Amino acid sequence: MSARATIRGYRVAFLFAVLLMSAVAGFTLWTDVRTSHDVAARFQEALDRAGLIGRIRVDALSLESAIEAHIRATDDSERQAADEVMEDILADVREASEAYTRSLPRDDTLGVWLRFNQACNRLAEQVRAAALLSNRQEAERARHHLVAQVRPVADEIDGLAGQLTQENADESRMLLSHLASLRARNLGLGVVVTALALLVSLVVGLHITSVLGRQDATIQEQLKELDRRNQELDAFTQRVAHDLMGPLSPLKGYLTLLRRSGAVKDPQALELVGLSESSAKRMGELIEALLRFCRSGTRGEPTVGELDTAVTTLLLEVSQTAAAQGVALERDVSAGVRVACPSQLLQLVAQNLLSNAVKYTAGRPDARVSVRVASEGGQAVLEVVDNGVGMSAETQGKLFQPFFRAPETREIPGHGLGLATTRRLVEAHEGTLHLRSALGEGTRVTVRFPLVAEAPPTLRRAG
């Protein structure tokens, strides 16, 4: 429970670091987008204000031109046209002034703007006064009023417009500086939080590595202990098997002598003696199979054996049994297939596979067993294929358990240790055993060993 709680805590810390980094990235992106949007809006307002100032300055100059045209007019229609032009210009000045007032960014710009707005109002009054003199056909007074009153106000408007333009530029530079400071602050915050998250991740990683190292050491110790206990169990099983074989061998001999001596005349007694002899023989076979199973998990000294020779030798024995049971044997054996396994053990592997194939195929229509030995991709391959009774998927999951007998084949003699022994032998010599089967269709067993290029030199011991 403690280890699980520790791993859970490290997982939470790691997720916290990831979420923290994600939050920093999201916050930085959001603030940058928001700041950029605000600055873009403020810049647009600054550009609009600059355009409005330029528009009012142009209108001021246009008013001078309009009043001069009014003074030079020779009839009422020209004066009326000049009046209409002046009213349009004055209306445009009012509209621009209202628009400028709506987008003022700070209160400290109102001083200049108020003077600018008052100057525009005075300009409108003076322009109307000059137009009134012009309408009275007092041209000289109108020109004098233009020079003395209108132009000074227009010059004042131009100067104030320059000040507003400068303040607008200062506002833009301030916005740029503010944007740079915000980005620097966000960058600094992101760096600090990212460093913190990386530190947390590093600490969590180091702790997890330490925990995994301790757990790996514990697992290795447990595996060593398990291997030691398995060896003790195998040794105990071998001792028990040897102890059982001791009294069993004389018992089988006594039963055989009793049956052959003729001392027992009763047919029922003779039948009981025969059954006892068969049971003793079967018990002996079971004990020998158990001994082979215990020895199969231990690898002896490195020895190279020829898989093709072992299989060919065994086929000479199995072929007679197969022919007697009506099973056709097909063989495809390549020569020179060497593996790092003694020949006696290779024969035991082949015997278990071939005897099972023949035993569970006998009695089937067109009974056939195929044997193939070959070299494929740096591996030695032994493949046994039959068209026998086959096995279900549930049976295949338990097939390599010691003493397991498939429900489909319990009426066929056997002790349930053949395939378990074969698998232990193959895996003890770095090989693999793969089995595929379908109920009623047959079985395919494939054994693979690492291929040995050539046999090592024979070591001679000094006698």
Side-chain angles (χ1 to χ4, degrees):
M1 291 298 294
S2 177
R4 291 182 180 178
T6 303
I7 293 296
R8 190 179 298 111
Y10 291 150
R11 187 182 302 160
V12 171
F14 181 75
L15 290 176
F16 170 75
V18 172
L19 290 176
L20 188 61
M21 294 181 67
S22 301
V24 170
F27 174 76
T28 303
L29 179 62
W30 176 75
T31 52
D32 190 69
V33 171
R34 187 190 66 176
T35 303
S36 300
H37 181 268
D38 292 343
V39 170
R42 299 291 289 275
F43 267 112
Q44 186 61 46
E45 291 177 0
L47 291 174
D48 293 341
R49 288 195 299 273
L52 292 172
I53 293 171
R55 182 173 157 187
I56 294 174
R57 296 174 79 172
V58 171
D59 286 341
L61 295 175
S62 299
L63 280 174
E64 289 189 46
S65 300
I67 194 61
E68 288 180 356
H70 196 287
I71 294 172
R72 290 195 301 268
T74 56
D75 52 26
D76 291 338
S77 61
E78 292 181 357
R79 293 188 185 93
Q80 185 177 359
D83 285 336
E84 292 176 357
V85 172
M86 285 189 295
E87 290 299 329
D88 291 340
I89 294 174
L90 290 173
D92 188 66
V93 170
R94 284 193 303 272
E95 181 181 350
S97 299
E98 292 173 358
Y100 192 97
T101 304
R102 286 194 300 269
S103 61
L104 284 177
R106 300 193 315 268
D107 293 338
D108 54 2
T109 60
L110 290 177
V112 179
W113 167 250
L114 289 176
R115 286 184 291 159
F116 181 79
N117 198 23
Q118 291 171 1
C120 290
N121 292 332
R122 289 200 309 273
L123 179 64
E125 293 175 357
Q126 297 302 328
V127 166
R128 287 191 177 95
L132 183 58
L133 293 174
S134 178
N135 286 330
R136 293 176 181 174
Q137 298 183 359
E138 297 178 4
E140 292 300 326
R141 289 185 62 188
R143 289 191 183 91
H144 180 269
H145 189 82
L146 173 63
V147 174
Q149 300 295 331
V150 175
R151 286 180 179 172
V153 176
D155 293 338
E156 180 183 0
I157 289 174
D158 189 65
L160 292 172
Q163 292 183 31
L164 289 174
T165 302
Q166 183 62 38
E167 289 180 354
N168 199 37
D170 294 340
E171 177 73 17
S172 299
R173 283 192 291 270
M174 184 188 70
L175 287 174
L176 287 175
S177 177
H178 180 63
L179 176 62
S181 64
L182 282 178
R183 286 180 174 170
R185 185 187 66 183
N186 292 336
L187 179 61
L189 178 62
V191 169
V192 171
V193 178
T194 302
L196 177 62
L198 290 176
L199 180 61
V200 172
S201 301
L202 180 62
V203 171
V204 171
L206 290 176
H207 280 282
I208 290 178
T209 303
S210 176
V211 170
L212 291 179
R214 291 195 299 270
Q215 291 184 348
D216 182 67
T218 303
I219 292 173
Q220 293 300 326
E221 292 178 0
Q222 292 176 347
L223 289 176
K224 290 180 181 179
E225 179 66 17
L226 181 62
D227 184 62
R228 185 183 66 80
R229 291 177 181 268
N230 285 334
Q231 290 179 0
E232 292 178 354
L233 181 61
D234 287 344
F236 173 75
T237 307
Q238 291 185 43
R239 286 196 299 270
V240 171
H242 278 293
D243 291 342
L244 290 176
M245 286 295 291
L248 185 63
S249 297
L251 177 61
K252 290 193 297 182
Y254 296 152
L255 290 171
T256 302
L257 288 175
L258 181 62
R259 178 174 54 82
R260 293 177 180 178
S261 65
V264 180
K265 303 298 185 180
D266 187 15
Q268 291 184 350
L270 285 174
E271 183 179 357
L272 291 176
V273 170
L275 291 175
S276 299
E277 189 178 5
S278 299
S279 298
K281 181 180 178 182
R282 176 172 173 75
M283 186 175 180
E285 292 175 352
L286 181 61
I287 293 173
E288 289 177 359
L290 185 61
L291 282 172
R292 287 195 299 268
F293 176 76
C294 294
R295 295 172 185 145
S296 62
T298 304
R299 183 173 181 175
E301 296 182 359
T303 306
V304 175
E306 293 184 350
L307 181 61
D308 56 299
T309 302
V311 172
T312 302
T313 302
L314 190 68
L315 281 173
L316 296 176
E317 302 176 6
V318 176
S319 59
Q320 299 178 4
T321 304
Q325 297 182 359
V327 178
L329 273 179
E330 300 176 355
R331 64 194 73 188
D332 180 11
V333 180
S334 300
V337 182
R338 297 184 177 90
V339 298
C341 182
S343 298
Q344 297 87 346
L345 298 182
L346 292 176
Q347 289 183 10
L348 180 58
V349 170
Q351 180 183 12
N352 287 336
L353 297 181
L354 285 171
S355 61
N356 279 349
V358 172
K359 180 168 57 176
Y360 296 120
T361 307
R364 303 274 295 177
D366 190 25
R368 185 175 62 259
V369 174
S370 301
V371 183
R372 184 173 70 92
V373 177
S375 301
E376 294 180 357
Q379 291 183 324
V381 179
L382 167 61
E383 188 175 67
V384 179
V385 184
D386 64 69
N387 60 348
V389 295
M391 291 170 282
S392 64
E394 182 180 0
T395 298
Q396 293 179 50
K398 304 176 182 178
L399 191 60
F400 296 101
Q401 297 178 4
F403 303 106
F404 174 77
R405 296 299 310 282
E408 303 92 342
T409 58
R410 284 179 180 172
E411 69 278 3
I412 302 176
H415 42 65
L417 285 171
L419 283 178
T421 302
T422 302
R423 187 174 188 177
R424 291 191 72 182
L425 276 172
V426 171
E427 292 180 350
H429 293 82
E430 300 179 359
T432 60
L433 188 150
H434 182 68
L435 183 144
R436 287 187 301 171
S437 182
L439 193 61
E441 297 181 6
T443 303
R444 177 187 300 267
V445 182
T446 305
V447 176
R448 296 180 183 271
F449 289 102
L451 195 63
V452 176
E454 59 183 18
T458 304
L459 298 178
R460 294 184 180 180
R461 296 183 179 179

